[in-house]
Structures are given as structure tokens and as C-alpha cells.
Amino acid sequence: MENESRVQEILKRRGLDVTPVDNFTETDVPEPTERFTKLINIYYLMKNTVDMEIPYWYNRFWWENEGDVPVIRRAKAYGAALSRHTPTIWPGEKLVMNKTKNWRGAFPFPWVDASFFNAAAEALMNEVDAPPEAAADAVSIVGAGGGNVTQNYGNVVSIAKKFGMRKEEIPCLVKVSKYWDNGSVESVSDRYSKLVPEFNKWKAYRDSVLIMFDSWAIPQGREVINYYMPLQYGFDRIIELCDEKIGETLGEAGNDGILGMSRGYYYTAMKEITKGMSQWADNYAKRATYLAGLESDPVQKKEYEEIAAVMHNVAHKKPASFREALQMTFLCHLGVVNEDPQSGQSIGRLGQVLQPFYAKDLADGTTTEEEVIELLELYRIKITSIECFASSGVTGGVLSGNTFNNLSLGGLNYDGLTAVTPLEYLLVEAGMRARTSQPTLSVLYDEKTPEDFLMKCARCCKLGMGYPAWMNNQGGMNYMLRQYHDEGMNIYDARAWCLGGCLESSPGCFQPLDYDGKVWMIPGGAAPTAGTGIHFTGLPKLLELVLTNGVDKRTGIKVFEPHNKKLETFEEVWEVWMAWMRELLEVSNKINNIQMDVWRKINPPVVQSLLKADCFKKGQHIGDCGARYNGSINFESCGTINFINSMASLKKNVYDDKKYTLEEMTDALMNNFGFKTAFETGVFSPDRREATESAPKYEKIFYDCVNAPKYGNADPYVDSILKDYEDRMLPEMLRLRSYYGKQYYMCQISVSTHGPQGGITLATSDGRLAGTTYADGSMSPAPTTDKNGIYAVFESATCYDHAMCQNSQMNVKIHPTAVKGINGTKKLLDVIRAYMRKGGFHVQFNITSSQTLRTAQQKPDDYRDLLVRVAGFTQYWCEIGKPIQDEVIYRTEYDA
């Protein structure tokens, strides 16, 4: 026993947790605070509302500063818009501020995307339905429940099948949007893209929905915010620092004849946007003071006075308490997400960033754990209320209404020890009590993570909200060292990585925060967007085009020049598929580079460029490579497993066993194996099939396709095809160069694109019917095709090195009875640990029953607060479109 104690002591000193879990108990999760309950019930009643306040002020000051340097003009316009934003404070709030003056709302960004808003505005003026902006919009289905406004009613009109706008706001939308007809990022990049000789090829990719959407649609986001600058200095001191830097750099090129002179303009712009954000905060302080003067209830009056004090301090000073620090981070977060249409603006490791403030307040006795949990509950409402106003193809077909403000937990700290903090326990606790769709939680699993923290997170999973998800910390670090080696990535920065967006691994760094007489190394983002590249290519759709000789049978579009090959061998199928993939990558990369280069030139990001400390150090905004790491542009794919299974079926049935000719297989696919399509039946999973008169003709081939080898069963026959795919694609990524001049990487997630992209894909040779939603993620088996249990799925998923790519994605659905009680929690953690130790990058869980989901689909109003995990994010069930709902219901459900 003495030797065992000594070993445990040594392990503890090295940061390895050895806490036994045998004595853990599971008590009922406490109810959220009364304050949270009142406010979340208001949220449930709110509708997604569009207003024109920020676009109006942005345009007005953009016009007034015509001819100014773009980055300064941008900062002046956006800063003025924030400083004139109407402050709304609700009784009972402690944390304040919203994206708009409405509780749940958004606004258009016509300076980015003009055509959609102009088309909508013109249609609204004429009281007719607006045409879809792109082919993806037409096939995207938005959930009809919750806060979505899918139809006109009264004085409210529906836009993008999701948002409501009052008719009196339409003239402002028309005037503001019309100005950007020829000057938005979309219109300017479109003009230059058309000069690319292969532009018509790109258009064919988009019109056939082989590629889901353009990069300018969401030019920011899918990155990790960095809160260091305002926490370290406060806004007043940042303004002073800008003045100092302006004095040093304005008119000086230094040794850089290309970007040296831009430093003075950068600091001038940073001063303008900081002034705007400071005034924005002060306006809330003034509003709270005004409300306090009107309030007769002494308790509410005191709360208004506290808000006024917090917001005045946030407007000018660096935070001096946990509450002020949390409010400051939320202000900065809104500042970023209000600058451009975006999703995936990740919060980062907030529990590690704010630990110094929490520790001091707790030690001083100025707060308690329960008071902090209440603030974190209210924070969850605030983050959940963030919306993205874009076309239905983006909001419904990609995002399912969520904006992926991910909060990461765990990992390693600067010294290589566990980074878990006491505050992170409270973040999980708040997520357990206050069940909202955001922020989603992500555990950076490491063998050094304390066992009781892992158990708490696993317990949280069991509550059925779909969070936290689990990522392999060592795999993420290995990816960072591989991808960013040439930019100087070292082990210290590798430890600072976390999730940007729902699942995009993003580089970070540690910065020294001076607080309470100590220096704390806090992590934050160190790169631009980790998701704006070649967007969501449907891998099964590309295989379909190989079989149809380049013609999209759904639309008649010639997407590729005919290959006119007989495809007599399986390798020849691979060769044509890869040749067309290579063409798609090369053409799409050119268009993407133009779109994003135009964005950074005429619409440079200012708030994010203020917050990234390296930008401030260099005097360069993010578009000019101001961030520390810039190789963060990716290729996004969708439908990986349907593609792999389809290739396995072709190999088995056509080339190995020679049961059918390729022509016979293609004929069966073109005729949907004799069944009605998903759009004809209204069922988007294999849950129900309706035969037609031609079904007997294809009965045998359908049977053999359904029963061909499937991924997820530890079968080398099909798993080797997955490994072959990964090995073939990696060199293609290394050949591409982004607009930053850096190599690409693979992003293997689906978000919600597996709905619309499945919708435009004909039947596939794995037995999937036309229009049926693809299998989600990239590692999730096609529903009900995994027959050998979860560990066989893990064996299949780890047939290649996950650290080669930015990510992989696996969803698992478990019946609640399988993880019941403390032993169930241990079993769930064992499952997670097994996958991590095999090298899997990501796994997430829906712990619910298919029967519950079916009932909720029929009676959505009775399940307003039901949450499910979709693909990298949690969302309210009633706000998800039916194609995705059907897919979630039909996922394999483990009950043992």
C-alpha cells in the first residue's frame, strides 16, 4: 500500500489524475435558478426578428467617409453603428446586450451579400415571393417550429423561411441594400470570378449543388476568439496604446515596402472601433441608470444600478471582477458576430480564461459558486439568442438555425499539465441545469484530465442535450504541429488549440494576463477563420456524375466534360473520380481565393483584428496575415460514408463478384431501384419505402446493394476503401494554395448539408434511395448498417491517422436505459476512452430514444425544449428541418 501511495503521489506531481471513481454517486441535477427559468420562457416565445438599425447606421457612416482608407472607413462605419445601437435591458437580467435591439433577432449584411437582400426587398415591395438566391436554397428545408417565421402573418413577412420583418422596415431594407448592388463582396468577387476561364465549371458545381455555397456567404467565423487584449488592458488603455502606435508607425514603412505603411492605418482603425465598442457599452450603463430612476421595486432598482456600474467599468476599464470579465467577453463576442454574417465564432476555453477572476472573487468572498452558476446560466441564454441572417440555403441547409458558438473544456495548459479549472466544473454544471442549445460544450480529452471531471461531463451527456462532445487532445495537438510547422508552431502553442466552429480544429496561443498580483497564461485564438474554403462537396454526388458521364440527371446540367470511358476496372472508377475531384479543387480554389481576397480588401475585419494580439503586435489586420497562424483554409466534404459504402458495393457487385454490369447498376440507380423518391414520400430516411411498378425489375440488385459490405463493421474490405480515400486526398490538399499562400487541409464534417445534398443526389449503390439524407458526419455509419456493435465502428473509424486532417466526426445514438445510473456513466466514459485511445478524433452522443423523437416530430409544440445533437452542434428539435429530423430518428440506436 505504501508503494502504491508513492506511485500515486508521483503521478499526481506529473499532472496525471488517479482519482478512483468507485465512491462517486449521482444525485438529481438541481433545477436552474428562477431567474433563468423566467428568461428562458420568454426566449421560447420569441420569434426571429429582422431589424434594420445597425445596417442603417453602418451605411450612413460608410457614405460619410467615402474615399477613406478601407480599413479605417470600415472601422468608422461599424463603430458608429455599434455606438448608436439601441440598448435593451429586460427586467431580471444580470448579463445584458443582444445581437440587435430585439431579444432574438438578426440583421442583413448587404455589404457582403447584396443580391439576396435586393431580391427579397424587391419581392417584398411587390408583395410576391422572393426567388431563391441559389440552387441550394430551393432544396433546403427549414424547421417550422420554435422561433422560426416560415410564413407571413399580419404585418410580418417571412424572409429566408426563418426570419420575420415588419412591413414598415422594408423601405429601409430596399434603400440600404440597393446601394451595395455593385459594391458588395459578392458582386465584386463575382465580376472577377467571371474572368477565370473555368468560371462556367464553377457555376455548374454550384447550380447542381455539388458544392453547397460560396465563401462570401459566411466570410468570418469558424475560428476561436481571443479575449486577452480587453481583459489585460480595458478599452481606454487600448485607445491610448493605439495613439502610441500611431505616433510610432504612421508615415513609417520600416523594412517592409509592401505592408509596412499599413501599420499606421491599422492602429487608426483599431482606435475607431475601440471607441465604438466603448460607447456601445456605456450606452447600456446609461440605459440601466435611466431604468433605475424609474423603478419602484427596490430589488429591481438595485439590479439596474449594478448593471450600470458593470457596464460603465466595462466601457472604460479592464475587468475587476468575474461578472465584469464575463460581460466583457460577451460584449467582444457580439462585436465580432455583428461585423459579418457568420457562424462558428467559438468562445474558446472560457473557463480557463476567466479562472483568475473567479478565483479572486471566491477567495475575497464577493461571490459564491451558486451566484457564478446563475451568471453562467444567463450566459447560455445570451449565446443561444445569437442568430445568423442569411439565405435559407445557409440558415437551413447548412446551419439548421444554430450558429455554433463552441466552448471548449480541458486539454493541457502552458506547462503541459491538465488545463481543467474549478470554473470549468461550474460551466458543465450550468450546462446540466440550464438546458439550451448554446454554447455547445466540447471536452478536449487527455489522459491527464481529472477523472471526476470526465465523469461529470459524461453525466452531462446522459441528460440528452447532445453535449459535451469529445475531442482527442493529443490528436488535435499532433494535427497542429503537422499543419502549422512551417509557420513556427511549437509544443506550447499546440497545447492552446481548441474548436473553432462546431468541429474545426483551430490554432491558439497563450498570453500572459496580469491579474491579482499574478501572471496567468490564458489561451485564445491565433488564426483567422478555419472554415472558409471549398464548401461542402457532396462526395456521393461526384460518384453519381462519374456514372452518368458528367451530366446531372436531376437538372440536365453538364457538370464535367464526358470521360467516355467504359470503367472496366474499379481502379478506373477511382481514377476518373479523382481526376474530377482534382479539377473541382483547382477551379473552386481559384474562385474561393477571389471571393475571400475581395472580402479582405474591401471589407477588412476590424473587431477580430483588434482582439487577436498578434495583429496588434504586427500592426496588420487579419486579412493581411496579422494572425500568428494563417494556414487555416479548408476543403469541406459531405457524405463520406455513403460514398465509401457505394464504392464498396460497386467493387463487390460489379467488379469482384461480377453479378451486374456497370450499365445495369447505373440503370437501377437512375430508376431509384423501382421505389418512389424521398421527396415523393416525404420521408428522408430508409424508415419507409414505397415501391412502384418497376420495383420487381430491380429487386435482386437492390438486395445485393443493401447487403454489400458496409463501413462500421470492422470489415477490411470496405475499411480499406476509406483509408484509400484519405490517402488519395491528402496530397491534393498539400498541392493547393489558399489566398494566404498556405496549403489546404481536409475538413470532414457535415453540419446540416447532408440534408439538401442528399436531396439532390439520386440513388446510390449502397442501397440509399434518391433524395434520402446522407449519413451524417464523416465517421458515423449509415443508419442501421453497423451490425457488430460500437467497438467495431471504432475499429473501422480508426483505419487511418485522424491527425492527418483538421477533424473527423462521429455521432452515436444511445438509448437512455443503456447508461442508467453510476455504472452507466462509467460505461459511457469507457466507450469514449476506448475511441480516444484508438486514435479517434471526435465522438458525440444523442442519448434519447427514437420513439421520443418520433412523438416530438408529430407534436412539436409539446416538445419545445427538446434538444438533439445534429452534427457538431445541439439544436432545438422543433427548429430542425424534416430531412435532418428523419436522419436523426433513423440513426442506429445502441441499447446495450
Side-chain angles (χ1 to χ4, degrees):
M1 290 296 293
E2 182 179 345
N3 288 338
E4 182 179 340
S5 299
R6 191 172 301 165
V7 169
Q8 289 189 359
E9 183 61 34
I10 293 171
L11 291 174
K12 286 180 180 179
R13 286 204 303 268
R14 295 184 179 181
L16 295 169
D17 186 82
V18 290
T19 307
V21 297
D22 295 339
N23 297 325
F24 284 11
T25 59
E26 291 190 342
T27 57
D28 291 337
V29 177
E31 292 296 316
T33 60
E34 182 180 353
R35 188 187 303 271
F36 168 85
T37 302
K38 288 181 178 179
L39 294 176
I40 196 64
N41 284 333
I42 296 173
Y43 169 84
Y44 289 149
L45 296 174
M46 291 296 176
K47 296 295 183 182
N48 287 317
T49 304
V50 177
D51 78 85
M52 293 300 299
E53 186 176 52
I54 287 182
Y56 168 80
W57 288 113
Y58 183 98
N59 264 33
R60 180 166 169 176
F61 280 85
W62 182 265
W63 296 337
E64 288 185 9
N65 291 282
E66 184 175 2
D68 211 335
V69 175
V71 68
I72 298 175
R73 187 182 186 186
R74 169 91 155 135
K76 287 179 177 178
Y78 184 40
L82 292 178
S83 68
R84 287 159 177 79
H85 176 268
T86 299
T88 305
I89 302 174
W90 292 69
E93 288 194 305
K94 285 189 172 181
L95 283 178
V96 296
M97 309 187 83
N98 288 83
K99 186 175 175 69
T100 70
K101 63 185 178 185
N102 303 298
W103 184 306
R104 188 174 182 186
F107 54 87
F109 299 86
W111 46 91
V112 174
D113 174 7
S115 68
F116 165 64
F117 303 112
N118 283 331
E122 184 175 340
L124 292 171
M125 290 292 284
N126 296 319
E127 297 191 353
V128 298
D129 291 334
E133 181 188 16
D137 300 345
V139 296
S140 296
I141 299 176
V142 179
N148 293 341
V149 181
T150 56
Q151 295 180 336
N152 299 347
Y153 66 93
N155 194 43
V156 175
V157 294
S158 173
I159 303 179
K161 308 176 190 177
K162 180 177 174 65
F163 299 94
M165 172 178 272
R166 292 178 175 84
K167 287 184 178 179
E168 59 264 27
E169 298 247 18
I170 293 172
C172 184
L173 173 65
V174 172
K175 184 171 183 178
V176 168
S177 296
K178 199 63 183 174
Y179 170 80
W180 296 97
D181 236 352
N182 296 309
S184 68
V185 174
E186 173 201 10
S187 58
V188 175
S189 64
D190 190 55
R191 287 201 299 273
Y192 287 100
S193 295
K194 288 177 179 176
L195 300 179
V196 175
E198 304 93 343
F199 176 77
N200 285 335
K201 291 183 178 181
W202 159 255
K203 189 174 185 302
Y205 306 155
R206 288 282 284 106
D207 289 347
S208 64
V209 200
L210 174 60
I211 287 181
M212 189 71 190
F213 65 101
D214 298 273
S215 288
W216 47 255
I218 307 180
Q220 289 198 65
R222 297 180 181 269
E223 63 190 285
V224 181
I225 201 167
N226 195 316
Y227 301 116
Y228 170 73
M229 289 287 290
L231 294 180
Q232 173 72 3
Y233 299 110
F235 288 145
D236 282 0
R237 178 56 183 148
I238 289 175
I239 291 171
E240 292 174 356
L241 290 172
C242 288
D243 283 332
E244 293 171 11
K245 291 293 186 180
I246 290 169
E248 293 173 12
T249 62
L250 197 61
E252 295 284 351
N255 296 319
D256 187 350
I258 299 174
L259 294 177
M261 287 294 293
S262 65
R263 294 175 300 160
Y265 309 132
Y266 164 86
Y267 291 118
T268 303
M270 295 306 101
K271 179 179 179 180
E272 290 293 333
I273 193 58
T274 305
K275 286 164 52 182
M277 294 174 73
S278 174
Q279 186 60 58
W280 187 25
D282 237 349
N283 290 345
Y284 276 87
K286 293 173 183 176
R287 178 65 179 173
T289 299
Y290 171 77
L291 292 173
L294 300 177
E295 186 58 55
S296 57
D297 178 65
V299 174
Q300 184 60 66
K301 181 182 181 70
K302 183 172 183 289
E303 290 186 357
Y304 284 141
E305 290 171 345
E306 289 173 349
I307 291 171
V310 168
M311 294 310 295
H312 181 74
N313 288 343
V314 165
H316 299 287
K317 308 172 185 176
K318 64 180 183 178
S321 69
F322 174 77
R323 181 173 174 180
E324 288 181 9
L326 183 63
Q327 181 69 68
M328 172 66 89
T329 63
F330 183 62
L331 179 152
C332 292
H333 198 88
L334 285 181
V336 173
V337 300
N338 275 9
E339 187 171 17
D340 277 330
Q342 58 179 277
S343 69
Q345 190 53 246
S346 286
I347 297 161
R349 302 194 199 179
L350 190 70
Q352 297 162 32
V353 172
L354 297 186
Q355 174 62 26
F357 302 92
Y358 166 69
K360 183 177 188 302
D361 285 4
L362 201 63
D364 292 347
T366 57
T367 193
T368 65
E369 283 192 0
E370 287 298 320
E371 288 172 338
V372 169
I373 290 172
E374 182 180 65
L375 284 172
L376 296 177
E377 290 177 351
L378 302 179
Y379 181 79
R380 294 194 63 85
I381 298 177
K382 287 295 182 181
I383 297 294
T384 296
S385 299
I386 295 173
E387 300 284 348
C388 175
F389 186 38
S391 71
S392 57
V394 173
T395 59
V398 180
L399 310 181
S400 277
N402 197 289
T403 51
F404 320 144
N405 299 270
N406 204 332
L407 196 160
S408 295
L409 307 160
L412 298 180
N413 64 17
Y414 182 82
D415 294 321
L417 305 178
T418 179
V420 173
T421 65
L423 182 57
E424 290 189 314
Y425 286 82
L426 303 193
L427 280 164
V428 178
E429 181 69 22
M432 296 169 75
R433 300 183 189 183
R435 305 180 184 190
T436 63
S437 63
Q438 295 201 64
T440 192
L441 303 177
S442 295
V443 177
L444 307 182
Y445 172 90
D446 196 276
E447 293 292 332
K448 295 183 180 181
T449 307
E451 191 76 2
D452 64 332
F453 184 73
L454 295 175
M455 287 288 286
K456 188 175 187 68
C457 292
R459 175 83 195 285
C460 183
C461 280
K462 287 171 44 177
L463 299 179
M465 294 91 67
Y467 59 76
W470 302 75
M471 286 78 189
N472 190 323
N473 186 59
Q474 292 298 318
M477 289 173 56
N478 288 341
Y479 166 75
M480 291 295 145
L481 292 168
R482 173 179 290 183
Q483 175 68 19
Y484 299 99
H485 175 269
D486 292 345
E487 294 189 72
M489 174 67 70
N490 57 39
I491 189 62
Y492 297 102
D493 282 2
R495 291 170 182 158
W497 82 281
C498 68
L499 273 296
C502 58
L503 198 57
E504 289 89 338
S505 303
S506 187
C509 64
F510 290 96
Q511 299 284 353
L513 177 71
D514 298 297
Y515 189 71
D516 192 26
K518 304 174 186 176
V519 177
W520 308 72
M521 297 300 287
I522 62 170
T529 174
T532 303
I534 301 170
H535 284 298
F536 292 109
T537 298
L539 305 184
K541 184 68 178 182
L542 184 57
L543 179 58
E544 173 193 309
L545 292 167
V546 172
L547 301 182
T548 60
N549 211 17
V551 176
D552 179 18
K553 295 296 184 181
R554 185 181 68 92
T555 62
I557 296 171
K558 185 175 75 171
V559 183
F560 294 97
E561 291 298 323
H563 57 74
N564 293 328
K565 295 183 178 180
K566 293 184 179 180
L567 304 177
E568 294 177 341
T569 65
F570 183 64
E571 181 59 29
E572 198 170 6
V573 175
W574 261 126
E575 288 173 358
V576 173
W577 192 91
M578 283 303 305
W580 282 358
M581 172 60 78
R582 191 172 298 115
E583 177 187 306
L584 178 146
L585 292 171
E586 291 172 352
V587 172
S588 301
N589 182 49
K590 291 181 180 180
I591 304 301
N592 178 71
N593 283 348
I594 291 171
Q595 291 179 350
M596 293 307 297
D597 187 53
V598 167
W599 166 75
R600 65 175 175 172
K601 283 180 165 61
I602 70 173
N603 204 47
V606 288
V607 180
Q608 196 71 283
S609 297
L610 169 69
L611 298 178
K612 297 286 169 68
D614 286 275
C615 289
F616 202 87
K617 181 178 180 181
K618 295 178 184 177
Q620 304 293 348
H621 63 72
I622 281 177
D624 285 344
C625 292
R628 184 173 301 189
Y629 301 108
N630 297 285
S632 60
I633 309 303
N634 64 20
F635 163 69
E636 297 167 337
S637 57
C638 182
T640 303
I641 296 307
N642 287 112
F643 166 64
I644 298 303
N645 287 346
S646 296
M647 289 289 277
S649 178
L650 286 177
K651 185 175 188 295
K652 179 71 172 174
N653 289 311
V654 175
Y655 295 105
D656 289 354
D657 295 352
K658 303 188 186 305
K659 288 186 176 181
Y660 310 99
T661 65
L662 191 61
E663 290 74 17
E664 289 172 330
M665 178 66 77
T666 303
D667 175 64
L669 302 182
M670 296 305 102
N671 289 281
N672 202 34
F673 296 109
F675 293 97
K676 291 183 179 179
T677 69
F679 284 99
E680 291 174 310
T681 64
V683 178
F684 296 89
S685 73
D687 199 23
R688 188 177 83 241
R689 303 185 182 102
E690 292 186 26
T692 67
E693 293 179 356
S694 62
K697 176 182 177 182
Y698 302 106
E699 183 176 1
K700 190 173 185 302
I701 191 171
F702 178 65
Y703 175 87
D704 286 332
C705 287
V706 168
N707 289 283
K710 295 291 190 292
Y711 161 86
N713 295 291
D715 183 352
Y717 188 93
V718 63
D719 296 348
S720 63
I721 298 176
L722 172 60
K723 185 178 187 307
D724 194 12
Y725 163 74
E726 300 288 345
D727 290 343
R728 288 174 188 258
M729 288 297 294
L730 180 60
E732 302 302 325
M733 299 298 104
L734 301 181
R735 289 194 310 107
L736 295 174
R737 288 295 178 271
S738 73
Y739 57 100
Y740 286 126
K742 308 297 182 183
Q743 65 190 25
Y744 270 64
Y745 48 76
M746 289 175 66
C747 174
Q748 303 185 99
I749 62 176
S750 63
V751 200
S752 292
T753 59
H754 57 304
Q757 290 201 302
I760 55 87
T761 304
L762 302 182
T764 45
S765 53
D766 58 349
R768 177 196 145 274
L769 299 184
T772 301
T773 303
Y774 292 159
D776 68 274
S778 66
M779 296 291 100
S780 306
T784 73
T785 62
D786 45 324
K787 307 294 186 181
N788 297 331
I790 188 64
Y791 292 100
V793 175
F794 292 171
E795 189 71 25
S796 293
T798 53
C799 67
Y800 74 98
D801 178 7
H802 286 206
M804 290 167 50
C805 308
Q806 183 190 34
N807 50 30
S808 65
Q809 182 177 27
M810 178 184 290
N811 279 304
V812 176
K813 188 163 75 173
I814 299 176
H815 195 279
T817 57
V819 289
K820 188 176 181 180
I822 184 67
N823 287 331
T825 306
K826 293 177 182 178
K827 285 195 295 183
L828 179 60
L829 184 54
D830 285 343
V831 167
I832 295 164
R833 205 190 311 268
Y835 189 50
M836 297 291 113
R837 286 176 174 173
K838 283 192 69 66
F841 175 73
H842 160 271
V843 64
Q844 60 195 22
F845 300 92
N846 268 317
I847 299 181
T848 186
S849 71
S850 297
Q851 184 55 51
T852 298
L853 299 181
R854 292 181 196 278
T855 303
Q857 194 176 48
Q858 299 301 317
K859 299 177 180 179
D861 292 341
D862 294 344
Y863 292 84
R864 176 62 184 87
D865 60 349
L866 177 63
L867 294 162
V868 297
R869 193 75 177 183
V870 181
F873 63 96
T874 291
Q875 180 58 309
Y876 289 106
W877 179 252
C878 62
E879 299 194 10
I880 301 170
K882 191 172 186 298
I884 302 298
Q885 286 187 342
D886 285 354
E887 180 268 315
V888 174
I889 289 173
Y890 202 69
R891 289 176 186 171
T892 302
E893 183 178 297
Y894 293 96
D895 57 8

